[in-house]
Amino acid sequence: MKMHELPDERGHFGRYGGVFVAETLVHALDELKRAYEACRKDPEFIAEFEYELKHYVGRPSPVYHAQRWSQMLGGAQIYIKREDLNHTGAHKINNTVGQALVARRMGKRRVIAETGAGMHGVAAATVAARYAMECVVYMGSEDIKRQVQNVYRMKLLGAAVVPVESGSKTLKDALNEAMRDWVTHVDNTFYIIGTVAGPHPYPMMVRDFQSVIGRECLMQMPELCGRQPDAVIACVGGGSNAMGIFYPYIPYGAVRLIGVEAGGLGIASGKHAASLCAGRPGVLHGNRTYLLQDERGQIIETHSISAGLDYPGVGPEHAWLKDTGRAEYVTIDDGEAVAAFHDLCRCEGIIPALESAHALAHAAKLAPALPRDAILLVNLSGRGDKDMHTVAAKSGIQF
Amino acid sequence: MKAAVSRIQSAFERLARERRKALIPYVTAGDPRAEVTVPLMRALVAAGADVIELGVPFSDPMADGPVIQRSSERALKNHIGIDDVLAFVSEFRDSDVSTPIVLMGYANPIEAMGSERFADAARRAGVDGVLVIDYPPEESVEFAKLLRARGIDMIFLLAPTSTGARIEQVARLASGYIYYVSLRGVTGAKHLDLDDVAAKLPEIRGKTRLPVGVGFGIRDGQTARAVAQIADAVVIGSRIIREMEQASPETCVKKAATLLKEIRQAIDA
């Protein structure tokens, strides 16, 4: 099987992925798998999805040549895929529009979602409003405290935000709770997972919806600079923006694919979220993948300055891209990400999300050593408006 | 070579001869304290348990309701790992060589230990069955082989939504007994529809000769008795843990045993 034709029938990317769930969820996943298979082959569904991406999300998003920043770094030319310009301010909306359309075809009137930083929750609440669906978002009570504005955004959009008090009270626990809701209300409820994780068919479905990012780049790069880039760089938490831009590039063997994980306070400190760089394979949230876990197989808490990367697992397709060597994975720590955040603000007039700043920081590391005609394409997965408080606090400023 | 009769199988054969139904309590190992677990297991046997399901705590118990989640969190606070759980079983076996013990938990702690190492250690400790909640049959063929080679039964769940093909798939791999989840939801949920259970059981029995236990949502003698009239075994978990939560660590064993005794009497009446 060719690399880009994975997963197999049961959701495996090599030894990763699969369906590791209690029997109570198997039927719901089978039903979803059938519904999604029908959708992805249906020209009407595809046309509707494309229409929504164009008119509601605002696609295609541009690729922008960051000339001043490239010049300042003194090496490779850095191009930026502007997912921050999408409606709701990040790539997350590509996926929630797609899943909401599948939900509508399945006749489900209630959607649920998990969220960490709140970006996926906002994107889910947005499409629920757009398609007149009831929406419940599960969010760890710790995250609710940290992301007050996004909680209010979701409420404005008509969603109910349910605080999750179990476990570490963060994203992973919100995902557990959303699964519990789904298994209990499966008749009328569609679970919109926000990243390329979870049991099959989620990693494949989310990747398919997000791969519009890479498909656009495949067209845009030759138009802009006459060829495909030398490397594509994206941040990786769960890994949906990275999968979205990597996937169409997998067959282009000359293009390096580089995923950037959150190094937090440094790998040695143990306070990071680098599942691929510092974790071990295991089973969590319905799939086999790299996990941050202790020696007894308990999932450990993660740290990153960017809440959106703060997840102890990673999409199974990334695990497989790592093992096969098709993609490389590196880490960028909190400080490096914040430095890149400020550089992009000052040099280009673009305020990036702290998540995306990890990818930018790695590009900034690579660029100076590369010739001036080298091309790096960075996925700017979201805008940084949501991060004002975090960055200000880091600079000792209080509002 | 014919496999030796397992403890689980002989327990169910004895119950069938006596025309009694099995009572299977679930407790999480190490909750509320490590030193409670083995005395608790012994007390549950004395109160009428035929099999004990011993929970292996996990940080992310996705299929469990709030009661078992809390119980798992308490056990993790006590630093209980799978090695401790196996040590509890060994200690229990010092005084009880006949009551079957089934470990119930999630895949990751087992994989972290190494599946084969786990299977060896489980056999040495005297474990009779293993139920891995997030190992559906298609992902556990190899693991079931490892267990079977060591005379350990692999217990599987079936749900109201399981199709005929699915039941057959589980039946091919399962041994010991089948655990039928009586409702749509997580452990400890409120609604148990006996008519639904009664309607589903004949379909399962048509595809397997294994005993069928029913659990998820059994909360008192009355529901237990009603379930016992249609199933081979009654599984009760959250209700016992809730009873223990309301007691002190000193009295929780007695409370759990008293509750189980009431349920035993209701089933046997």
Side-chain angles (χ1 to χ4, degrees):
Chain A
M1 192 175 273
K2 283 185 198 150
M3 259 188 180
H4 59 285
E5 286 170 2
L6 290 176
D8 70 12
E9 178 62 20
R10 287 185 292 139
H12 296 109
F13 302 89
R15 62 181 290 222
Y16 301 105
V19 179
F20 291 88
V21 296
E23 180 66 22
T24 42
L25 266 178
V26 167
H27 182 72
L29 288 166
D30 280 346
E31 197 182 67
L32 174 61
K33 200 168 87 177
R34 278 195 301 275
Y36 177 60
E37 278 305 322
C39 287
R40 80 194 293 214
K41 285 183 201 135
D42 179 356
E44 250 177 65
F45 178 88
I46 294 165
E48 192 180 9
F49 180 53
E50 285 173 353
Y51 182 92
E52 293 292 292
L53 288 182
K54 182 174 176 193
H55 296 276
Y56 189 62
V57 176
R59 304 204 71 92
S61 68
V63 171
Y64 167 74
H65 183 191
Q67 269 174 304
R68 282 197 66 214
W69 195 41
S70 304
Q71 205 164 12
M72 186 193 99
L73 292 166
Q77 301 307 304
I78 298 178
Y79 286 77
I80 292 174
K81 177 65 171 168
R82 298 292 308 274
E83 289 300 297
D84 59 316
L85 295 177
N86 292 340
H87 179 41
T88 73
H91 71 290
K92 292 288 185 192
I93 190 92
N94 303 326
N95 170 49
T96 58
V97 165
Q99 290 199 47
L101 292 177
V102 178
R104 211 159 61 153
R105 294 229 161 176
M106 293 175 79
K108 312 272 183 183
R109 300 306 308 266
R110 179 176 179 266
V111 294
I112 57 172
E114 84 294 340
T115 198
M119 295 311 287
H120 172 58
V122 168
T126 299
V127 297
R130 162 79 182 84
Y131 303 114
M133 291 163 166
E134 183 193 342
C135 180
V136 176
V137 179
Y138 289 92
M139 189 166 184
S141 58
E142 281 300 316
D143 289 333
I144 286 182
K145 275 188 245 161
R146 291 190 286 200
Q147 305 288 338
V148 183
Q149 285 200 4
N150 269 344
V151 172
Y152 187 59
R153 281 172 88 191
M154 288 184 261
K155 288 180 179 167
L156 283 176
L157 293 160
V161 180
V162 180
V164 176
E165 302 286 353
S166 56
S168 58
K169 305 178 173 63
T170 60
L171 175 59
K172 76 177 179 69
D173 309 284
L175 210 151
N176 292 333
E177 206 53 41
M179 282 282 182
R180 293 178 188 122
D181 177 312
W182 195 32
V183 80
T184 312
H185 304 106
V186 66
D187 288 338
N188 70 344
T189 298
F190 187 100
Y191 179 16
I192 302 184
I193 293 188
T195 191
V196 286
H200 181 65
Y202 281 103
M204 171 180 80
M205 179 168 68
V206 176
R207 172 202 73 196
D208 290 351
F209 290 142
Q210 290 294 3
S211 61
V212 64
I213 305 172
R215 281 199 308 276
E216 287 174 2
C217 293
L218 277 180
M219 310 280 288
Q220 291 165 320
M221 291 308 289
E223 281 169 20
L224 263 174
C225 44
R227 66 180 181 92
Q228 298 300 344
D230 297 299
V232 176
I233 305 172
C235 64
V236 178
S240 70
N241 90 81
M243 241 11 270
I245 197 165
F246 286 177
Y247 182 65
Y249 276 102
I250 290 176
Y252 292 74
V255 180
R256 283 172 72 188
L257 305 176
I258 307 174
V260 185
E261 294 194 298
L265 302 178
I267 298 297
S269 72
K271 294 189 181 305
H272 57 80
S275 323
L276 288 163
C277 293
R280 295 197 316 277
V283 173
L284 179 70
H285 293 152
N287 68 98
R288 177 172 282 127
T289 187
Y290 279 82
L291 301 173
L292 292 172
Q293 52 180 315
D294 68 14
E295 72 287 354
R296 285 166 144 188
Q298 307 298 345
I299 306 308
I300 53 184
E301 285 178 37
T302 53
H303 167 86
S304 168
I305 191 165
S306 63
L309 301 182
D310 224 341
Y311 178 65
V314 63
E317 194 163 6
H318 284 294
W320 179 78
L321 286 173
K322 175 192 160 80
D323 282 12
T324 56
R326 178 62 190 94
E328 314 151 49
Y329 295 88
V330 297
T331 61
I332 283 290
D333 65 29
D334 287 353
E336 294 169 315
V338 171
F341 172 95
H342 286 298
D343 284 349
L344 204 73
C345 290
R346 292 298 186 83
C347 291
E348 300 292 347
I350 296 172
I351 302 178
L354 282 173
E355 289 77 10
S356 324
H358 285 72
L360 293 165
H362 190 66
K365 242 185 205 178
L366 292 181
L370 294 169
R372 277 172 199 277
D373 59 353
I375 298 173
L376 302 178
L377 172 62
V378 180
N379 197 14
L380 184 57
S381 53
R383 60 176 171 243
D385 307 39
K386 68 181 176 59
D387 295 317
M388 291 301 99
H389 274 85
T390 311
V391 176
K394 190 102 180 159
S395 315
I397 296 162
Q398 281 198 336
F399 293 122
Chain B
M1 193 180 86
K2 196 169 176 291
V5 174
S6 77
R7 262 192 214 109
I8 294 176
Q9 192 185 339
S10 44
F12 275 100
E13 283 171 359
R14 175 180 51 79
L15 286 160
R17 281 194 306 274
E18 296 169 1
R19 296 181 187 283
R20 294 169 74 230
K21 297 302 174 76
L23 176 57
I24 308 182
Y26 166 95
V27 289
T28 304
D31 170 42
R33 288 182 187 171
E35 61 272 20
V36 164
T37 300
V38 175
L40 175 62
M41 292 164 75
R42 290 185 180 133
L44 291 172
V45 173
D50 299 297
V51 176
I52 291 178
E53 286 183 357
L54 190 59
V56 181
F58 181 49
S59 52
D60 293 78
M62 211 167 76
D64 286 300
V67 175
I68 293 181
Q69 286 173 47
R70 284 198 299 271
S71 150
S72 197
E73 280 174 26
R74 283 190 298 267
L76 288 177
K77 274 205 185 98
N78 297 335
H79 306 289
I80 300 301
I82 210 164
D83 42 348
D84 300 304
V85 181
L86 292 168
F88 293 145
V89 177
S90 284
E91 195 187 331
F92 173 81
R93 282 277 170 258
D94 290 345
S95 64
D96 187 326
V97 291
S98 60
T99 308
I101 303 294
V102 172
L103 297 191
M104 184 164 173
Y106 293 80
N108 204 54
I110 292 173
E111 295 201 358
M113 183 174 183
S115 300
E116 192 156 5
R117 230 186 100 208
F118 165 77
D120 285 338
R123 181 182 53 179
R124 277 197 306 274
V127 169
D128 304 287
V130 176
L131 197 171
V132 185
I133 294 156
D134 49 354
Y135 265 170
E138 58 268 35
E139 298 287 1
S140 48
V141 174
E142 288 305 310
F143 187 63
K145 255 187 228 161
L146 286 177
L147 293 182
R148 199 177 306 124
R150 289 158 183 80
I152 299 173
D153 291 314
M154 185 148 183
I155 316 291
F156 284 94
L157 299 172
L158 282 173
T161 48
S162 301
T163 59
R166 192 83 197 153
I167 298 170
E168 281 167 16
Q169 197 181 1
V170 163
R172 276 195 295 275
L173 223 53
S175 58
Y177 59 95
I178 301 257
Y179 185 156
Y180 180 68
V181 174
S182 49
L183 46 81
R184 294 178 185 204
V186 292
T187 51
K190 285 200 178 67
H191 313 286
L192 168 65
D193 191 330
L194 279 170
D195 293 339
D196 279 0
V197 177
K200 192 75 178 181
L201 287 187
E203 191 189 354
I204 296 172
R205 292 193 195 284
K207 293 180 164 57
T208 178
R209 300 174 72 175
L210 292 175
V212 181
V214 171
F216 278 40
I218 290 163
R219 34 203 52 244
D220 51 25
Q222 205 186 338
T223 43
R225 181 175 161 72
V227 164
Q229 280 166 357
I230 48 178
D232 303 301
V234 177
V235 188
I236 180 159
S238 299
R239 180 68 186 85
I240 295 178
I241 291 168
R242 219 151 40 89
E243 191 77 8
M244 290 171 64
E245 276 183 334
Q246 287 158 6
S248 68
E250 289 73 33
T251 58
C252 68
V253 170
K254 206 170 157 212
K255 286 278 248 182
T258 306
L259 173 71
L260 201 73
K261 203 177 275 176
E262 281 170 29
I263 288 166
R264 175 86 262 174
Q265 281 162 357
I267 292 174
D268 292 345

PDB file of all heavy atoms in Angstrom, chain A residues 113-124:
ATOM      1  N   ALA A 113     -18.080  18.358  21.536  1.00  0.00           N
ATOM      2  CA  ALA A 113     -16.661  18.514  21.214  1.00  0.00           C
ATOM      3  C   ALA A 113     -15.870  18.618  22.507  1.00  0.00           C
ATOM      4  O   ALA A 113     -16.422  18.972  23.561  1.00  0.00           O
ATOM      5  CB  ALA A 113     -16.444  19.764  20.371  1.00  0.00           C
ATOM      6  N   GLU A 114     -14.575  18.305  22.421  1.00  0.00           N
ATOM      7  CA  GLU A 114     -13.655  18.549  23.528  1.00  0.00           C
ATOM      8  C   GLU A 114     -12.818  19.749  23.140  1.00  0.00           C
ATOM      9  O   GLU A 114     -12.631  20.024  21.952  1.00  0.00           O
ATOM     10  CB  GLU A 114     -12.755  17.327  23.754  1.00  0.00           C
ATOM     11  CG  GLU A 114     -11.509  17.248  22.855  1.00  0.00           C
ATOM     12  CD  GLU A 114     -11.809  17.046  21.374  1.00  0.00           C
ATOM     13  OE1 GLU A 114     -12.922  16.591  21.048  1.00  0.00           O
ATOM     14  OE2 GLU A 114     -10.932  17.355  20.532  1.00  0.00           O
ATOM     15  N   THR A 115     -12.319  20.471  24.103  1.00  0.00           N
ATOM     16  CA  THR A 115     -11.403  21.544  23.731  1.00  0.00           C
ATOM     17  C   THR A 115     -10.389  21.774  24.844  1.00  0.00           C
ATOM     18  O   THR A 115     -10.678  21.530  26.017  1.00  0.00           O
ATOM     19  CB  THR A 115     -12.177  22.834  23.377  1.00  0.00           C
ATOM     20  OG1 THR A 115     -11.331  23.695  22.631  1.00  0.00           O
ATOM     21  CG2 THR A 115     -12.673  23.563  24.621  1.00  0.00           C
ATOM     22  N   GLY A 116      -9.205  22.245  24.465  1.00  0.00           N
ATOM     23  CA  GLY A 116      -8.167  22.548  25.446  1.00  0.00           C
ATOM     24  C   GLY A 116      -8.078  24.056  25.593  1.00  0.00           C
ATOM     25  O   GLY A 116      -8.621  24.655  26.517  1.00  0.00           O
ATOM     26  N   ALA A 117      -7.429  24.701  24.611  1.00  0.00           N
ATOM     27  CA  ALA A 117      -7.317  26.160  24.616  1.00  0.00           C
ATOM     28  C   ALA A 117      -8.653  26.812  24.300  1.00  0.00           C
ATOM     29  O   ALA A 117      -8.859  27.985  24.588  1.00  0.00           O
ATOM     30  CB  ALA A 117      -6.283  26.595  23.599  1.00  0.00           C
ATOM     31  N   GLY A 118      -9.526  26.071  23.667  1.00  0.00           N
ATOM     32  CA  GLY A 118     -10.834  26.611  23.325  1.00  0.00           C
ATOM     33  C   GLY A 118     -11.014  26.893  21.853  1.00  0.00           C
ATOM     34  O   GLY A 118     -12.108  27.217  21.411  1.00  0.00           O
ATOM     35  N   MET A 119      -9.950  26.767  21.053  1.00  0.00           N
ATOM     36  CA  MET A 119     -10.074  27.090  19.633  1.00  0.00           C
ATOM     37  C   MET A 119     -10.966  26.091  18.911  1.00  0.00           C
ATOM     38  O   MET A 119     -11.812  26.466  18.106  1.00  0.00           O
ATOM     39  CB  MET A 119      -8.694  27.153  18.962  1.00  0.00           C
ATOM     40  CG  MET A 119      -7.813  28.272  19.486  1.00  0.00           C
ATOM     41  SD  MET A 119      -8.650  29.877  19.544  1.00  0.00           S
ATOM     42  CE  MET A 119      -8.709  30.285  17.802  1.00  0.00           C
ATOM     43  N   HIS A 120     -10.773  24.808  19.190  1.00  0.00           N
ATOM     44  CA  HIS A 120     -11.641  23.818  18.554  1.00  0.00           C
ATOM     45  C   HIS A 120     -13.069  23.952  19.083  1.00  0.00           C
ATOM     46  O   HIS A 120     -14.030  23.809  18.323  1.00  0.00           O
ATOM     47  CB  HIS A 120     -11.110  22.398  18.783  1.00  0.00           C
ATOM     48  CG  HIS A 120     -12.061  21.342  18.308  1.00  0.00           C
ATOM     49  ND1 HIS A 120     -12.498  21.274  17.001  1.00  0.00           N
ATOM     50  CD2 HIS A 120     -12.703  20.341  18.969  1.00  0.00           C
ATOM     51  CE1 HIS A 120     -13.348  20.265  16.876  1.00  0.00           C
ATOM     52  NE2 HIS A 120     -13.495  19.691  18.055  1.00  0.00           N
ATOM     53  N   GLY A 121     -13.196  24.254  20.363  1.00  0.00           N
ATOM     54  CA  GLY A 121     -14.534  24.461  20.934  1.00  0.00           C
ATOM     55  C   GLY A 121     -15.247  25.616  20.241  1.00  0.00           C
ATOM     56  O   GLY A 121     -16.435  25.513  19.906  1.00  0.00           O
ATOM     57  N   VAL A 122     -14.518  26.684  20.008  1.00  0.00           N
ATOM     58  CA  VAL A 122     -15.115  27.833  19.310  1.00  0.00           C
ATOM     59  C   VAL A 122     -15.486  27.437  17.876  1.00  0.00           C
ATOM     60  O   VAL A 122     -16.578  27.760  17.397  1.00  0.00           O
ATOM     61  CB  VAL A 122     -14.140  29.040  19.318  1.00  0.00           C
ATOM     62  CG1 VAL A 122     -14.612  30.117  18.345  1.00  0.00           C
ATOM     63  CG2 VAL A 122     -14.017  29.611  20.726  1.00  0.00           C
ATOM     64  N   ALA A 123     -14.604  26.717  17.208  1.00  0.00           N
ATOM     65  CA  ALA A 123     -14.893  26.306  15.828  1.00  0.00           C
ATOM     66  C   ALA A 123     -16.102  25.370  15.775  1.00  0.00           C
ATOM     67  O   ALA A 123     -16.913  25.438  14.844  1.00  0.00           O
ATOM     68  CB  ALA A 123     -13.666  25.635  15.205  1.00  0.00           C
ATOM     69  N   ALA A 124     -16.236  24.513  16.793  1.00  0.00           N
ATOM     70  CA  ALA A 124     -17.386  23.603  16.837  1.00  0.00           C
ATOM     71  C   ALA A 124     -18.667  24.381  17.142  1.00  0.00           C
ATOM     72  O   ALA A 124     -19.707  24.164  16.502  1.00  0.00           O
ATOM     73  CB  ALA A 124     -17.149  22.511  17.887  1.00  0.00           C
TER      74      ALA A 124
END
